[in-house]
Short mmCIF file of all heavy atoms in Angstrom, two decimals:
data_model
loop_
_atom_site.label_atom_id
_atom_site.label_comp_id
_atom_site.label_asym_id
_atom_site.label_seq_id
_atom_site.Cartn_x
_atom_site.Cartn_y
_atom_site.Cartn_z
N LEU Q 1 -3.79 -11.36 -17.32
CA LEU Q 1 -3.27 -10.63 -16.16
C LEU Q 1 -3.60 -9.11 -16.37
O LEU Q 1 -3.64 -8.57 -17.49
CB LEU Q 1 -1.74 -10.78 -16.16
CG LEU Q 1 -1.06 -10.38 -14.85
CD1 LEU Q 1 -1.62 -11.28 -13.69
CD2 LEU Q 1 0.39 -10.65 -15.04
N ALA Q 2 -3.97 -8.51 -15.29
CA ALA Q 2 -4.41 -7.11 -15.29
C ALA Q 2 -3.25 -6.17 -15.61
O ALA Q 2 -2.03 -6.44 -15.19
CB ALA Q 2 -4.89 -6.71 -13.88
N ARG Q 3 -3.49 -5.15 -16.32
CA ARG Q 3 -2.51 -4.06 -16.67
C ARG Q 3 -2.38 -3.09 -15.61
O ARG Q 3 -1.28 -2.44 -15.44
CB ARG Q 3 -2.95 -3.38 -17.95
CG ARG Q 3 -2.83 -4.36 -19.17
CD ARG Q 3 -3.11 -3.54 -20.41
NE ARG Q 3 -3.08 -4.44 -21.53
CZ ARG Q 3 -2.84 -4.22 -22.68
NH1 ARG Q 3 -2.44 -2.92 -22.99
NH2 ARG Q 3 -2.80 -5.05 -23.72
N ASP Q 4 -3.48 -2.91 -14.81
CA ASP Q 4 -3.49 -1.89 -13.73
C ASP Q 4 -2.59 -2.47 -12.60
O ASP Q 4 -2.95 -3.41 -12.00
CB ASP Q 4 -4.83 -1.63 -13.30
CG ASP Q 4 -5.02 -0.62 -12.23
OD1 ASP Q 4 -3.91 -0.14 -11.64
OD2 ASP Q 4 -6.13 -0.32 -11.78
N PRO Q 5 -1.52 -1.65 -12.24
CA PRO Q 5 -0.68 -2.15 -11.12
C PRO Q 5 -1.36 -2.31 -9.82
O PRO Q 5 -1.08 -3.21 -8.97
CB PRO Q 5 0.45 -1.18 -11.05
CG PRO Q 5 0.03 -0.02 -11.85
CD PRO Q 5 -1.08 -0.46 -12.77
N ALA Q 6 -2.42 -1.52 -9.61
CA ALA Q 6 -3.14 -1.75 -8.31
C ALA Q 6 -3.95 -2.96 -8.24
O ALA Q 6 -4.02 -3.56 -7.23
CB ALA Q 6 -4.00 -0.42 -8.18
N LEU Q 7 -4.54 -3.35 -9.46
CA LEU Q 7 -5.29 -4.59 -9.57
C LEU Q 7 -4.33 -5.80 -9.34
O LEU Q 7 -4.59 -6.82 -8.65
CB LEU Q 7 -6.00 -4.76 -10.79
CG LEU Q 7 -7.22 -3.78 -11.01
CD1 LEU Q 7 -7.81 -3.94 -12.30
CD2 LEU Q 7 -8.23 -4.07 -9.86
N ARG Q 8 -3.09 -5.77 -9.97
CA ARG Q 8 -2.12 -6.79 -9.86
C ARG Q 8 -1.67 -6.88 -8.36
O ARG Q 8 -1.55 -8.04 -7.81
CB ARG Q 8 -0.98 -6.52 -10.72
CG ARG Q 8 -1.19 -6.81 -12.19
CD ARG Q 8 0.16 -7.01 -12.94
NE ARG Q 8 0.99 -5.93 -12.77
CZ ARG Q 8 1.05 -4.74 -13.45
NH1 ARG Q 8 0.19 -4.54 -14.44
NH2 ARG Q 8 1.96 -3.87 -13.13
N GLY Q 9 -1.55 -5.74 -7.73
CA GLY Q 9 -1.04 -5.65 -6.38
C GLY Q 9 -2.06 -6.36 -5.49
O GLY Q 9 -1.73 -7.06 -4.43
N ALA Q 10 -3.34 -6.00 -5.68
CA ALA Q 10 -4.40 -6.59 -4.88
C ALA Q 10 -4.48 -8.08 -5.03
O ALA Q 10 -4.62 -8.88 -4.05
CB ALA Q 10 -5.75 -5.91 -5.21
N ALA Q 11 -4.35 -8.60 -6.36
CA ALA Q 11 -4.30 -10.06 -6.46
C ALA Q 11 -3.11 -10.66 -5.84
O ALA Q 11 -3.18 -11.79 -5.19
CB ALA Q 11 -4.30 -10.35 -8.00
N ALA Q 12 -1.95 -10.07 -5.86
CA ALA Q 12 -0.76 -10.65 -5.29
C ALA Q 12 -0.93 -10.61 -3.76
O ALA Q 12 -0.65 -11.58 -3.10
CB ALA Q 12 0.50 -9.80 -5.65
N TYR Q 13 -1.52 -9.56 -3.23
CA TYR Q 13 -1.70 -9.46 -1.79
C TYR Q 13 -2.60 -10.54 -1.24
O TYR Q 13 -2.42 -11.28 -0.31
CB TYR Q 13 -2.30 -8.07 -1.45
CG TYR Q 13 -2.38 -7.78 0.07
CD1 TYR Q 13 -1.23 -7.14 0.70
CD2 TYR Q 13 -3.38 -8.24 0.86
CE1 TYR Q 13 -1.22 -6.89 1.92
CE2 TYR Q 13 -3.44 -7.94 2.22
CZ TYR Q 13 -2.33 -7.28 2.76
OH TYR Q 13 -2.41 -7.04 4.17
N ARG Q 14 -3.81 -10.79 -2.11
CA ARG Q 14 -4.72 -11.82 -1.68
C ARG Q 14 -4.03 -13.19 -1.67
O ARG Q 14 -4.44 -14.18 -1.05
CB ARG Q 14 -5.95 -11.79 -2.61
CG ARG Q 14 -6.87 -10.69 -2.15
CD ARG Q 14 -8.18 -10.81 -2.89
NE ARG Q 14 -8.16 -10.76 -4.37
CZ ARG Q 14 -8.11 -9.70 -5.03
NH1 ARG Q 14 -8.08 -8.45 -4.36
NH2 ARG Q 14 -7.96 -9.71 -6.33
N ALA Q 15 -3.04 -13.33 -2.49
CA ALA Q 15 -2.30 -14.61 -2.79
C ALA Q 15 -1.14 -14.72 -1.74
O ALA Q 15 -0.37 -15.71 -1.83
CB ALA Q 15 -1.78 -14.79 -4.15
N SER Q 16 -1.05 -13.74 -0.84
CA SER Q 16 0.04 -13.72 0.14
C SER Q 16 1.40 -13.51 -0.47
O SER Q 16 2.46 -13.88 0.23
CB SER Q 16 -0.09 -14.87 1.13
OG SER Q 16 -1.31 -14.96 1.81
N ASP Q 17 1.46 -13.00 -1.65
CA ASP Q 17 2.78 -12.71 -2.23
C ASP Q 17 3.01 -11.17 -2.03
O ASP Q 17 2.84 -10.26 -2.86
CB ASP Q 17 2.70 -12.99 -3.75
CG ASP Q 17 4.13 -12.84 -4.45
OD1 ASP Q 17 5.03 -12.34 -3.76
OD2 ASP Q 17 4.27 -13.15 -5.57
N PHE Q 18 3.47 -10.88 -0.76
CA PHE Q 18 3.55 -9.49 -0.32
C PHE Q 18 4.61 -8.73 -1.04
O PHE Q 18 4.53 -7.56 -1.30
CB PHE Q 18 3.66 -9.47 1.07
CG PHE Q 18 2.56 -10.13 1.84
CD1 PHE Q 18 2.74 -11.24 2.66
CD2 PHE Q 18 1.15 -9.73 1.64
CE1 PHE Q 18 1.67 -11.92 3.23
CE2 PHE Q 18 0.13 -10.35 2.28
CZ PHE Q 18 0.42 -11.45 3.07
N ALA Q 19 5.73 -9.47 -1.48
CA ALA Q 19 6.81 -8.76 -2.16
C ALA Q 19 6.34 -8.25 -3.60
O ALA Q 19 6.52 -7.07 -3.97
CB ALA Q 19 8.01 -9.62 -2.34
N ALA Q 20 5.57 -9.12 -4.25
CA ALA Q 20 4.98 -8.77 -5.54
C ALA Q 20 4.01 -7.60 -5.40
O ALA Q 20 3.89 -6.73 -6.09
CB ALA Q 20 4.36 -9.98 -6.27
N ALA Q 21 3.15 -7.79 -4.33
CA ALA Q 21 2.16 -6.75 -4.07
C ALA Q 21 2.75 -5.39 -3.80
O ALA Q 21 2.30 -4.44 -4.39
CB ALA Q 21 1.31 -7.19 -2.87
N GLU Q 22 3.76 -5.44 -3.08
CA GLU Q 22 4.48 -4.10 -2.73
C GLU Q 22 5.07 -3.48 -4.02
O GLU Q 22 4.80 -2.29 -4.31
CB GLU Q 22 5.58 -4.27 -1.62
CG GLU Q 22 6.25 -3.14 -1.27
CD GLU Q 22 7.43 -2.53 -2.17
OE1 GLU Q 22 8.07 -3.47 -2.78
OE2 GLU Q 22 7.61 -1.35 -2.36
N SER Q 23 5.62 -4.33 -4.84
CA SER Q 23 6.16 -3.82 -6.09
C SER Q 23 5.09 -3.25 -7.05
O SER Q 23 5.29 -2.13 -7.62
CB SER Q 23 6.96 -5.02 -6.89
OG SER Q 23 7.49 -4.55 -8.07
N ASP Q 24 3.97 -3.93 -7.14
CA ASP Q 24 2.97 -3.49 -8.07
C ASP Q 24 2.25 -2.13 -7.47
O ASP Q 24 2.05 -1.24 -8.16
CB ASP Q 24 1.91 -4.63 -8.21
CG ASP Q 24 2.32 -5.63 -9.10
OD1 ASP Q 24 3.02 -5.36 -9.99
OD2 ASP Q 24 1.93 -6.87 -8.82
N PHE Q 25 1.99 -2.13 -6.14
CA PHE Q 25 1.47 -0.99 -5.61
C PHE Q 25 2.33 0.21 -5.72
O PHE Q 25 1.93 1.32 -5.91
CB PHE Q 25 1.11 -1.20 -4.10
CG PHE Q 25 -0.06 -2.08 -3.84
CD1 PHE Q 25 0.00 -3.10 -2.97
CD2 PHE Q 25 -1.25 -1.96 -4.49
CE1 PHE Q 25 -1.09 -3.91 -2.68
CE2 PHE Q 25 -2.36 -2.72 -4.40
CZ PHE Q 25 -2.30 -3.76 -3.44
N ALA Q 26 3.65 -0.02 -5.67
CA ALA Q 26 4.60 1.08 -5.83
C ALA Q 26 4.52 1.71 -7.19
O ALA Q 26 4.86 2.94 -7.43
CB ALA Q 26 6.08 0.63 -5.61
N ARG Q 27 4.08 1.01 -8.14
CA ARG Q 27 3.89 1.48 -9.64
C ARG Q 27 2.67 2.38 -9.78
O ARG Q 27 2.54 3.01 -10.79
CB ARG Q 27 3.95 0.39 -10.65
CG ARG Q 27 5.28 -0.29 -10.74
CD ARG Q 27 5.21 -1.39 -11.82
NE ARG Q 27 6.52 -2.08 -11.77
CZ ARG Q 27 6.79 -3.22 -11.23
NH1 ARG Q 27 5.95 -3.77 -10.50
NH2 ARG Q 27 8.02 -3.74 -11.31
N ALA Q 28 1.72 2.19 -8.91
CA ALA Q 28 0.43 2.98 -8.92
C ALA Q 28 0.63 4.26 -8.15
O ALA Q 28 1.32 4.36 -7.22
CB ALA Q 28 -0.66 2.19 -8.27
N ALA Q 29 0.04 5.36 -8.67
CA ALA Q 29 0.31 6.67 -8.13
C ALA Q 29 -0.62 7.19 -7.11
O ALA Q 29 -0.40 8.16 -6.50
CB ALA Q 29 0.35 7.64 -9.32
N ASP Q 30 -1.81 6.53 -6.93
CA ASP Q 30 -2.81 7.14 -6.01
C ASP Q 30 -2.54 6.79 -4.55
O ASP Q 30 -1.74 5.93 -4.19
CB ASP Q 30 -4.16 6.62 -6.41
CG ASP Q 30 -4.39 5.21 -6.41
OD1 ASP Q 30 -3.92 4.54 -5.49
OD2 ASP Q 30 -5.10 4.72 -7.29
N ALA Q 31 -3.20 7.51 -3.73
CA ALA Q 31 -3.09 7.38 -2.27
C ALA Q 31 -3.45 6.00 -1.75
O ALA Q 31 -2.82 5.43 -0.86
CB ALA Q 31 -3.89 8.41 -1.50
N ARG Q 32 -4.51 5.46 -2.28
CA ARG Q 32 -4.99 4.14 -1.89
C ARG Q 32 -3.87 3.09 -2.26
O ARG Q 32 -3.59 2.20 -1.34
CB ARG Q 32 -6.30 3.74 -2.57
CG ARG Q 32 -6.83 2.37 -2.25
CD ARG Q 32 -7.20 2.23 -0.85
NE ARG Q 32 -7.98 3.15 -0.31
CZ ARG Q 32 -8.20 3.35 0.98
NH1 ARG Q 32 -7.60 2.51 1.91
NH2 ARG Q 32 -8.97 4.31 1.44
N ALA Q 33 -3.23 3.10 -3.37
CA ALA Q 33 -2.14 2.21 -3.60
C ALA Q 33 -1.08 2.39 -2.67
O ALA Q 33 -0.40 1.33 -2.26
CB ALA Q 33 -1.66 2.35 -5.07
N GLN Q 34 -0.65 3.59 -2.27
CA GLN Q 34 0.36 3.79 -1.30
C GLN Q 34 0.08 3.19 -0.05
O GLN Q 34 0.81 2.64 0.74
CB GLN Q 34 0.70 5.31 -1.15
CG GLN Q 34 1.45 5.92 -2.38
CD GLN Q 34 2.68 5.00 -2.82
OE1 GLN Q 34 3.55 4.72 -2.03
NE2 GLN Q 34 2.70 4.59 -4.01
N TYR Q 35 -1.17 3.30 0.47
CA TYR Q 35 -1.76 2.77 1.73
C TYR Q 35 -1.61 1.28 1.64
O TYR Q 35 -1.14 0.59 2.48
CB TYR Q 35 -3.18 3.19 1.96
CG TYR Q 35 -3.79 2.49 3.07
CD1 TYR Q 35 -3.63 2.91 4.39
CD2 TYR Q 35 -4.66 1.41 2.90
CE1 TYR Q 35 -4.24 2.27 5.45
CE2 TYR Q 35 -5.30 0.73 3.90
CZ TYR Q 35 -5.04 1.18 5.18
OH TYR Q 35 -5.58 0.54 6.30
N ASN Q 36 -2.06 0.67 0.45
CA ASN Q 36 -1.87 -0.76 0.36
C ASN Q 36 -0.46 -1.32 0.24
O ASN Q 36 -0.19 -2.29 0.78
CB ASN Q 36 -2.64 -1.23 -1.01
CG ASN Q 36 -4.19 -1.14 -0.71
OD1 ASN Q 36 -4.73 -1.14 0.37
ND2 ASN Q 36 -4.86 -0.93 -1.82
N ARG Q 37 0.44 -0.43 -0.25
CA ARG Q 37 1.84 -0.74 -0.34
C ARG Q 37 2.37 -0.79 1.18
O ARG Q 37 3.10 -1.74 1.47
CB ARG Q 37 2.59 0.38 -1.16
CG ARG Q 37 4.06 0.19 -1.16
CD ARG Q 37 4.76 1.05 -2.10
NE ARG Q 37 6.16 0.95 -1.94
CZ ARG Q 37 6.93 1.83 -1.37
NH1 ARG Q 37 6.53 2.92 -0.83
NH2 ARG Q 37 8.26 1.58 -1.33
N GLY Q 38 1.93 0.16 1.92
CA GLY Q 38 2.29 0.11 3.38
C GLY Q 38 1.84 -1.23 4.05
O GLY Q 38 2.63 -1.83 4.77
N ASN Q 39 0.63 -1.73 3.72
CA ASN Q 39 0.14 -2.92 4.23
C ASN Q 39 1.09 -4.10 3.81
O ASN Q 39 1.37 -5.02 4.64
CB ASN Q 39 -1.31 -3.21 3.84
CG ASN Q 39 -2.29 -2.29 4.53
OD1 ASN Q 39 -2.01 -1.64 5.54
ND2 ASN Q 39 -3.34 -2.11 3.99
N ALA Q 40 1.42 -4.11 2.51
CA ALA Q 40 2.18 -5.20 2.06
C ALA Q 40 3.60 -5.11 2.64
O ALA Q 40 4.15 -6.14 2.96
CB ALA Q 40 2.35 -5.08 0.45
N LEU Q 41 4.17 -3.96 2.79
CA LEU Q 41 5.45 -3.81 3.53
C LEU Q 41 5.40 -4.27 5.01
O LEU Q 41 6.29 -4.98 5.54
CB LEU Q 41 5.98 -2.34 3.49
CG LEU Q 41 6.40 -1.92 2.09
CD1 LEU Q 41 6.43 -0.44 2.01
CD2 LEU Q 41 7.85 -2.55 1.87
N ALA Q 42 4.30 -3.96 5.62
CA ALA Q 42 4.13 -4.36 7.07
C ALA Q 42 4.07 -5.93 7.15
O ALA Q 42 4.59 -6.52 8.14
CB ALA Q 42 2.86 -3.72 7.67
N LYS Q 43 3.38 -6.52 6.17
CA LYS Q 43 3.31 -8.00 6.18
C LYS Q 43 4.63 -8.64 6.04
O LYS Q 43 4.86 -9.72 6.46
CB LYS Q 43 2.35 -8.44 5.09
CG LYS Q 43 0.90 -8.25 5.33
CD LYS Q 43 0.38 -9.21 6.35
CE LYS Q 43 -1.15 -9.13 6.39
NZ LYS Q 43 -1.67 -10.14 7.39
N GLN Q 44 5.61 -7.95 5.40
CA GLN Q 44 6.95 -8.34 5.39
C GLN Q 44 7.84 -7.87 6.56
O GLN Q 44 9.03 -8.08 6.40
CB GLN Q 44 7.54 -7.82 3.95
CG GLN Q 44 6.81 -8.34 2.68
CD GLN Q 44 7.41 -7.66 1.49
OE1 GLN Q 44 8.46 -8.15 0.92
NE2 GLN Q 44 6.76 -6.61 1.00
N GLN Q 45 7.29 -7.27 7.46
CA GLN Q 45 7.87 -6.76 8.67
C GLN Q 45 8.94 -5.61 8.33
O GLN Q 45 9.85 -5.40 9.05
CB GLN Q 45 8.53 -7.84 9.54
CG GLN Q 45 7.52 -8.86 9.94
CD GLN Q 45 8.08 -10.00 10.75
OE1 GLN Q 45 9.40 -10.09 10.87
NE2 GLN Q 45 7.28 -10.82 11.30
N ASP Q 46 8.62 -4.92 7.32
CA ASP Q 46 9.49 -3.71 6.84
C ASP Q 46 8.68 -2.53 7.30
O ASP Q 46 8.17 -1.83 6.56
CB ASP Q 46 9.69 -3.75 5.39
CG ASP Q 46 10.62 -2.63 4.94
OD1 ASP Q 46 11.05 -1.78 5.77
OD2 ASP Q 46 10.95 -2.62 3.73
N TYR Q 47 8.66 -2.33 8.68
CA TYR Q 47 7.89 -1.30 9.27
C TYR Q 47 8.30 0.08 8.95
O TYR Q 47 7.45 0.94 8.81
CB TYR Q 47 7.81 -1.51 10.80
CG TYR Q 47 7.25 -2.92 11.13
CD1 TYR Q 47 8.02 -3.82 11.76
CD2 TYR Q 47 6.00 -3.32 10.69
CE1 TYR Q 47 7.54 -5.21 12.09
CE2 TYR Q 47 5.58 -4.60 11.01
CZ TYR Q 47 6.32 -5.48 11.65
OH TYR Q 47 5.84 -6.75 11.88
N LYS Q 48 9.56 0.38 8.85
CA LYS Q 48 10.08 1.70 8.45
C LYS Q 48 9.57 2.16 7.10
O LYS Q 48 9.00 3.28 6.98
CB LYS Q 48 11.57 1.69 8.52
CG LYS Q 48 12.22 3.04 8.24
CD LYS Q 48 13.72 3.02 8.15
CE LYS Q 48 14.30 4.35 7.84
NZ LYS Q 48 15.76 4.36 7.82
N ASN Q 49 9.67 1.23 6.14
CA ASN Q 49 9.18 1.59 4.80
C ASN Q 49 7.61 1.59 4.79
O ASN Q 49 7.02 2.36 3.93
CB ASN Q 49 9.72 0.77 3.70
CG ASN Q 49 11.22 1.05 3.50
OD1 ASN Q 49 11.54 2.22 3.41
ND2 ASN Q 49 12.04 0.05 3.34
N ALA Q 50 7.01 0.81 5.67
CA ALA Q 50 5.48 0.75 5.71
C ALA Q 50 5.15 2.08 6.23
O ALA Q 50 4.11 2.69 5.59
CB ALA Q 50 5.00 -0.37 6.67
N ILE Q 51 5.74 2.61 7.19
CA ILE Q 51 5.26 3.93 7.71
C ILE Q 51 5.45 5.06 6.75
O ILE Q 51 4.69 5.91 6.54
CB ILE Q 51 6.00 4.31 9.11
CG1 ILE Q 51 5.59 3.39 10.21
CG2 ILE Q 51 5.83 5.70 9.49
CD1 ILE Q 51 6.38 3.35 11.40
N ALA Q 52 6.58 4.89 5.96
CA ALA Q 52 6.84 5.96 4.88
C ALA Q 52 5.76 5.82 3.79
O ALA Q 52 5.33 6.90 3.27
CB ALA Q 52 8.18 5.71 4.24
N ALA Q 53 5.32 4.60 3.53
CA ALA Q 53 4.20 4.57 2.47
C ALA Q 53 2.99 5.03 2.99
O ALA Q 53 2.16 5.74 2.30
CB ALA Q 53 4.08 2.99 2.13
N TYR Q 54 2.66 4.88 4.34
CA TYR Q 54 1.45 5.42 4.84
C TYR Q 54 1.46 6.94 4.94
O TYR Q 54 0.47 7.60 4.62
CB TYR Q 54 1.17 4.87 6.32
CG TYR Q 54 0.93 3.39 6.50
CD1 TYR Q 54 1.42 2.70 7.40
CD2 TYR Q 54 0.05 2.80 5.51
CE1 TYR Q 54 1.13 1.32 7.56
CE2 TYR Q 54 -0.30 1.46 5.66
CZ TYR Q 54 0.33 0.71 6.73
OH TYR Q 54 0.01 -0.65 6.76
N ASP Q 55 2.68 7.50 5.27
CA ASP Q 55 2.88 8.82 5.23
C ASP Q 55 2.54 9.46 3.83
O ASP Q 55 2.03 10.56 3.67
CB ASP Q 55 4.23 9.36 5.77
CG ASP Q 55 4.37 9.17 7.24
OD1 ASP Q 55 3.27 9.06 8.01
OD2 ASP Q 55 5.47 9.09 7.69
N ALA Q 56 3.13 8.78 2.81
CA ALA Q 56 2.97 9.25 1.49
C ALA Q 56 1.55 9.24 1.09
O ALA Q 56 1.06 10.20 0.42
CB ALA Q 56 3.78 8.32 0.45
N ALA Q 57 0.72 8.30 1.43
CA ALA Q 57 -0.66 8.16 1.21
C ALA Q 57 -1.41 9.33 1.83
O ALA Q 57 -2.29 10.02 1.20
CB ALA Q 57 -1.20 6.90 1.61
N LEU Q 58 -1.07 9.66 3.09
CA LEU Q 58 -1.72 10.79 3.74
C LEU Q 58 -1.34 12.14 3.11
O LEU Q 58 -2.19 13.06 3.04
CB LEU Q 58 -1.18 10.81 5.28
CG LEU Q 58 -1.93 9.72 6.13
CD1 LEU Q 58 -1.26 9.72 7.44
CD2 LEU Q 58 -3.40 10.12 6.22
N ARG Q 59 -0.11 12.27 2.67
CA ARG Q 59 0.33 13.54 2.06
C ARG Q 59 -0.43 13.69 0.73
O ARG Q 59 -0.82 14.78 0.32
CB ARG Q 59 1.85 13.50 1.76
CG ARG Q 59 2.63 13.98 2.89
CD ARG Q 59 4.01 14.25 2.49
NE ARG Q 59 4.74 13.17 1.84
CZ ARG Q 59 5.30 12.11 2.37
NH1 ARG Q 59 5.30 12.02 3.73
NH2 ARG Q 59 5.84 11.14 1.72
N GLN Q 60 -0.66 12.56 -0.07
CA GLN Q 60 -1.32 12.71 -1.34
C GLN Q 60 -2.89 13.03 -1.24
O GLN Q 60 -3.40 13.84 -2.02
CB GLN Q 60 -1.29 11.36 -2.07
CG GLN Q 60 0.14 11.18 -2.73
CD GLN Q 60 0.15 9.83 -3.46
OE1 GLN Q 60 -0.70 8.91 -3.33
NE2 GLN Q 60 1.14 9.70 -4.26
N ASP Q 61 -3.49 12.38 -0.21
CA ASP Q 61 -4.90 12.60 -0.09
C ASP Q 61 -5.31 12.27 1.33
O ASP Q 61 -5.90 11.17 1.58
CB ASP Q 61 -5.69 11.78 -1.11
CG ASP Q 61 -7.08 12.17 -1.23
OD1 ASP Q 61 -7.63 12.97 -0.41
OD2 ASP Q 61 -7.80 11.56 -2.03
N PRO Q 62 -5.18 13.20 2.28
CA PRO Q 62 -5.46 12.92 3.67
C PRO Q 62 -6.97 12.47 3.92
O PRO Q 62 -7.21 11.87 4.88
CB PRO Q 62 -5.04 14.19 4.40
CG PRO Q 62 -4.69 15.23 3.44
CD PRO Q 62 -4.62 14.57 2.04
N ALA Q 63 -7.86 13.00 3.07
CA ALA Q 63 -9.27 12.82 3.38
C ALA Q 63 -9.69 11.39 2.91
O ALA Q 63 -10.68 10.88 3.45
CB ALA Q 63 -10.07 13.77 2.58
N SER Q 64 -9.00 10.76 2.03
CA SER Q 64 -9.42 9.49 1.53
C SER Q 64 -8.80 8.25 2.22
O SER Q 64 -9.23 7.11 1.92
CB SER Q 64 -9.20 9.38 0.08
OG SER Q 64 -7.81 9.17 -0.21
N VAL Q 65 -7.77 8.52 2.95
CA VAL Q 65 -7.10 7.31 3.62
C VAL Q 65 -7.38 7.30 5.11
O VAL Q 65 -7.11 8.34 5.86
CB VAL Q 65 -5.47 7.42 3.35
CG1 VAL Q 65 -4.77 6.25 3.99
CG2 VAL Q 65 -5.21 7.48 1.96
N ARG Q 66 -7.76 6.17 5.59
CA ARG Q 66 -8.09 6.07 7.00
C ARG Q 66 -7.05 5.14 7.66
O ARG Q 66 -6.98 4.02 7.34
CB ARG Q 66 -9.47 5.53 7.23
CG ARG Q 66 -10.57 6.42 6.65
CD ARG Q 66 -11.91 5.85 6.93
NE ARG Q 66 -12.17 6.05 8.35
CZ ARG Q 66 -13.25 5.66 8.98
NH1 ARG Q 66 -14.23 5.09 8.27
NH2 ARG Q 66 -13.38 5.82 10.23
N LEU Q 67 -6.28 5.64 8.51
CA LEU Q 67 -5.17 4.97 9.19
C LEU Q 67 -5.59 4.81 10.65
O LEU Q 67 -6.09 5.82 11.26
CB LEU Q 67 -3.90 5.64 9.02
CG LEU Q 67 -3.32 5.77 7.52
CD1 LEU Q 67 -2.02 6.57 7.65
CD2 LEU Q 67 -3.13 4.40 7.05
N PRO Q 68 -5.19 3.76 11.31
CA PRO Q 68 -5.49 3.64 12.75
C PRO Q 68 -4.67 4.73 13.44
O PRO Q 68 -3.61 5.01 13.15
CB PRO Q 68 -4.99 2.29 13.16
CG PRO Q 68 -4.91 1.48 11.81
CD PRO Q 68 -4.72 2.56 10.64
N GLY Q 69 -5.29 5.34 14.48
CA GLY Q 69 -4.60 6.26 15.27
C GLY Q 69 -4.58 7.69 14.70
O GLY Q 69 -3.91 8.53 15.19
N HIS Q 70 -5.23 7.96 13.60
CA HIS Q 70 -5.29 9.26 13.00
C HIS Q 70 -6.59 9.94 13.25
O HIS Q 70 -7.04 10.76 12.41
CB HIS Q 70 -4.98 9.14 11.52
CG HIS Q 70 -3.51 8.93 11.22
ND1 HIS Q 70 -2.58 10.01 11.15
CD2 HIS Q 70 -2.72 7.83 11.17
CE1 HIS Q 70 -1.41 9.52 10.94
NE2 HIS Q 70 -1.39 8.25 10.98
N GLY Q 71 -7.36 9.67 14.34
CA GLY Q 71 -8.44 10.54 14.72
C GLY Q 71 -9.64 10.27 13.91
O GLY Q 71 -10.50 11.18 13.92
N ARG Q 72 -9.85 9.16 13.26
CA ARG Q 72 -11.08 8.96 12.42
C ARG Q 72 -11.80 7.85 12.94
O ARG Q 72 -11.51 6.81 13.14
CB ARG Q 72 -10.76 8.87 11.00
CG ARG Q 72 -10.23 10.07 10.40
CD ARG Q 72 -10.16 9.96 8.95
NE ARG Q 72 -9.49 11.05 8.33
CZ ARG Q 72 -9.66 11.13 7.10
NH1 ARG Q 72 -10.10 10.24 6.32
NH2 ARG Q 72 -9.06 12.19 6.50
#
C-alpha cells in the first residue's frame, strides 16, 4: 500500500471509495490533493465541503488548479 496519502486517495477514488479518498486527500498538503478532495466530497454529495476544498486549493496555488467557471 502506498505511503503517500495522495496516491492512496487516487486509488480509493478509482475504486469508488469516495469516503476513503476524501480522508486520504485531506492528509496531503498540496493544492492538487485539495482539489481531488473536493471531487471526492462532491461524489458524496457533500457540496458545501467540496466548495471549501476547492477554495482551499485555489488559495494554496491558484495557477495550478483549473476549476470550471474560473475563467480558464
Side-chain angles (χ1 to χ4, degrees):
L1 197 57
R3 291 182 185 210
D4 180 355
L7 290 176
R8 283 195 315 268
Y13 190 93
R14 282 191 300 276
S16 298
D17 187 351
F18 303 117
E22 186 274 327
S23 179
D24 287 325
F25 288 134
R27 290 184 184 96
D30 62 37
R32 178 61 51 193
Q34 290 305 308
Y35 172 82
N36 290 335
R37 181 174 172 254
N39 290 341
L41 287 161
K43 287 287 193 176
Q44 298 175 82
Q45 299 181 352
D46 185 352
Y47 303 116
K48 180 179 178 183
N49 286 320
I51 290 168
Y54 293 140
D55 286 342
L58 285 169
R59 278 192 305 277
Q60 283 181 345
D61 192 356
S64 73
V65 179
R66 297 183 71 181
L67 299 175
H70 283 271
R72 293 189 183 189

